[in-house]
């Protein structure tokens, strides 16, 4: 577990699509390599298409699905479990 980091990111809607997410992930990867982190992990609701696109753009891949992982407005939503292995 010492070489794994779990990532939690949220960008307020009015600030999306301005490159902030990409800057965050570039800095995250720099930090992770500096700290000898080999694996980055995160989860994302399967209907959060913008976030999924951002994560895939930065090399994250879907490893699996967490069924009914979160409850939003009384409805259960699945999450993708995603990861990125650093060189």
């Amino acid at each position: 577990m010492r070489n794994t980091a779990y990532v939690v990111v949220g960008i307020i809607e009015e600030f999306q699509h301005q490159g902030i997410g990409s800057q965050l992930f570039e800095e995250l990867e720099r930090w992770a390599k500096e700290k000898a982190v080999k694996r980055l992990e995160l989860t994302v609701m399967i209907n959060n298409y913008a976030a999924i696109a951002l994560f895939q753009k930065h090399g994250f891949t879907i490893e699996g699905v967490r069924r009914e992982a979160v409850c939003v407005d009384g409805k259960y939503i699945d999450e993708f479990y995603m990861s990125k292995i650093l060189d």
Side-chain angles (χ1 to χ4, degrees), residues 43-65:
T43 57
V44 60
M45 291 187 294
I46 64 168
N47 60 351
N48 190 342
Y49 307 112
I52 294 165
L54 173 67
F55 302 151
Q56 289 177 326
K57 175 182 173 182
H58 289 279
F60 283 77
T61 58
I62 296 170
E63 289 190 335
V65 177

Side-chain angles (χ1 to χ4, degrees), residues 3-85:
N3 299 82
T4 300
Y6 187 80
V7 180
V8 179
V9 173
I11 300 172
I12 298 170
E13 191 171 353
E14 66 185 277
F15 295 104
Q16 293 176 3
H17 307 290
Q18 297 179 28
I20 295 168
S22 288
Q23 289 176 355
L24 281 169
F25 276 90
E26 289 165 9
E27 181 62 22
L28 168 65
E29 190 164 332
R30 186 202 60 73
W31 171 86
K33 288 179 178 179
E34 179 182 291
K35 300 297 180 188
V37 171
K38 177 73 174 166
R39 178 183 170 86
L40 299 172
E41 302 175 340
L42 56 83
T43 57
V44 60
M45 291 187 294
I46 64 168
N47 60 351
N48 190 342
Y49 307 112
I52 294 165
L54 173 67
F55 302 151
Q56 289 177 326
K57 175 182 173 182
H58 289 279
F60 283 77
T61 58
I62 296 170
E63 289 190 335
V65 177
R66 298 180 66 229
R67 301 278 179 216
E68 299 184 2
V70 293
C71 186
V72 177
D73 297 328
K75 290 183 65 179
Y76 286 93
I77 301 173
D78 296 348
E79 284 186 320
F80 286 132
Y81 198 87
M82 300 181 77
S83 71
K84 178 177 182 174
I85 306 300

